[in-house]
C-alpha cells in the first residue's frame, strides 16, 4: 500500500475501525461520521494504534448531494489518501420493511444508493490522485437473496454488482478496489441474533481485509469457507432456499 492517509466512512463502524486500527501506524486517519464531535473514543483508539494525527469530519451518507464537495475537501485537507474504507450501512428491520415502504427505501438508500454515490466520487478523486485503495463491504446476503432478509440482501446484491464493475473500470488506473464478501459478523449490528454458521468477528474480518490489501486481491471472502459454500448454495432449489434463515 502507498503512503498517505486512511479515510474511514462510517467512523463508528466496528469492522471499519478494526481495519483502520491495523493501518493507522504512521498515517493520518480521517474518521467521517454523523455527530463527528462525539468520536473521542474512536480518536483515542486510532492514536493508540500509532496514527500521526486523527481528524473527525461530519458525514451523513444519506445526504448524497453533499458527497462531491465534502470528499473533495477531505482529500485536499488530508493530503494523499492511501486507503478509503467504506463501512457505513444499516441492517434494517425486515418485518417493518415488509409493512412500511419508507423503511424499505431507507435501507436500500443507505446500503446501495448512498454507496454508489460516494464510491463514484471517490473513484474519480483517487484516479486524479493516481493511486489508492478502495475497500467496499458487500455480503453473502446479496449473492443469493433469502426471504428472511431480502430487503437488506437486495441492496447488497446491487452493491456487489456495482463494486465488481467499478473495480474492473479502475483496472490500470493505479486505483485498486477490494470487494469484501463477509458472512454473519458477530457485533453491535447483529446483537441479539443467533450467529449463523461460518460466522466471524470484526477482528477476523479486519485481518482478512488487510491481508487481501497487501496481496492486491480484488475480492476476499470472510471466512474463506463461504466461497465454496455459496457455490453450492446457488444449486439449492428455490422451494428449499425460501425457508433458509437469515
Amino acid at each position: 500500500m502507498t503512503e498517505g492517509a486512511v479515510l474511514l466512512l462510517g467512523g463508528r463502524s466496528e469492522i471499519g475501525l478494526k481495519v483502520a486500527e491495523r493501518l493507522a501506524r504512521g498515517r493520518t486517519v480521517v474518521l467521517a461520521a454523523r455527530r463527528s464531535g462525539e468520536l473521542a473514543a474512536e480518536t483515542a483508539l486510532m492514536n493508540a494504534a500509532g496514527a500521526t494525527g486523527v481528524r473527525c469530519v461530519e458525514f451523513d451518507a444519506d445526504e448524497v448531494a453533499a458527497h462531491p464537495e465534502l470528499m473533495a475537501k477531505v482529500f485536499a485537507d488530508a493530503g494523499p489518501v492511501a486507503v478509503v474504507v467504506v463501512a457505513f450501512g444499516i441492517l434494517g428491520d425486515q418485518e417493518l420493511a415488509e409493512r412500511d415502504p419508507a423503511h424499505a427505501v431507507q435501507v436500500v438508500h443507505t446500503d446501495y444508493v448512498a454507496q454508489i454515490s460516494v464510491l463514484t466520487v471517490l473513484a474519480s478523486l483517487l484516479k486524479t490522485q493516481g493511486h489508492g485503495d478502495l475497500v467496499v463491504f458487500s455480503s453473502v446476503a446479496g449473492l443469493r437473496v433469502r426471504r428472511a432478509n431480502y430487503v437488506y440482501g437486495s441492496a447488497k446484491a446491487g452493491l456487489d454488482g456495482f463494486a465488481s464493475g467499478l473495480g474492473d473500470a479502475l483496472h490500470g488506473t493505479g486505483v485498486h478496489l477490494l470487494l469484501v464478501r463477509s458472512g454473519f459478523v458477530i457485533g453491535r449490528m447483529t446483537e441479539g441474533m443467533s450467529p449463523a454458521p461460518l460466522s466471524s468477528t470484526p477482528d477476523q474480518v479486519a485481518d482478512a481485509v488487510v491481508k487481501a490489501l497487501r496481496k492486491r486481491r480484488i475480492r476476499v471472502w470472510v471466512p474463506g469457507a463461504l466461497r465454496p459454500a455459496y457455490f453450492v448454495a446457488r444449486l439449492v432449489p428455490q422451494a428449499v432456499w425460501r425457508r433458509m434463515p437469515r
Side-chain angles (χ1 to χ4, degrees), residues 52-242:
T52 56
V54 182
R55 302 181 184 185
C56 299
V57 175
E58 189 66 24
F59 170 67
D60 186 338
D62 288 329
E63 293 183 2
V64 295
H67 290 172
E69 182 178 355
L70 177 59
M71 292 300 106
K73 186 176 188 306
V74 169
F75 271 62
D77 292 346
V81 176
V83 185
V84 184
V85 182
V86 183
F88 64 83
I90 59 175
L91 187 59
D93 183 324
Q94 174 65 35
E95 291 185 4
L96 177 60
E98 291 183 29
R99 302 190 307 271
D100 181 358
H103 183 63
V105 169
Q106 178 189 9
V107 172
V108 174
H109 188 274
T110 301
D111 291 346
Y112 180 55
V113 175
Q115 299 259 350
I116 287 176
S117 171
V118 79
L119 285 170
T120 300
V121 173
L122 291 167
S124 178
L125 289 167
L126 290 170
K127 282 194 294 183
T128 299
Q129 180 178 270
H131 63 85
D133 291 287
L134 262 175
V135 180
V136 181
F137 288 96
S138 177
S139 169
V140 296
L143 299 182
R144 186 174 181 186
V145 177
R146 286 165 288 181
R147 186 262 175 272
N149 63 344
Y150 67 79
V151 176
Y152 173 80
S154 68
K156 287 298 186 180
L159 178 60
D160 193 283
F162 180 85
S164 296
L166 178 60
D168 287 341
L170 291 171
H171 182 73
T173 66
V175 182
H176 165 253
L177 187 148
L178 173 64
L179 179 59
V180 184
R181 290 172 173 166
S182 60
F184 189 101
V185 180
I186 302 168
R188 283 198 311 264
M189 195 175 187
T190 57
E191 189 173 356
M193 299 179 185
S194 299
L198 298 176
S199 295
S200 57
T201 65
D203 277 305
Q204 290 170 324
V205 176
D207 285 340
V209 167
V210 173
K211 182 178 179 181
L213 281 173
R214 289 179 173 150
K215 291 189 173 183
R216 314 305 292 165
R217 291 181 178 170
I218 61 172
R219 290 183 184 84
V220 60
W221 296 68
V222 189
L226 282 171
R227 184 173 186 175
Y230 266 78
F231 177 82
V232 174
R234 291 187 176 96
L235 306 178
V236 175
Q238 193 64 32
V240 174
W241 188 256
R242 70 170 56 100

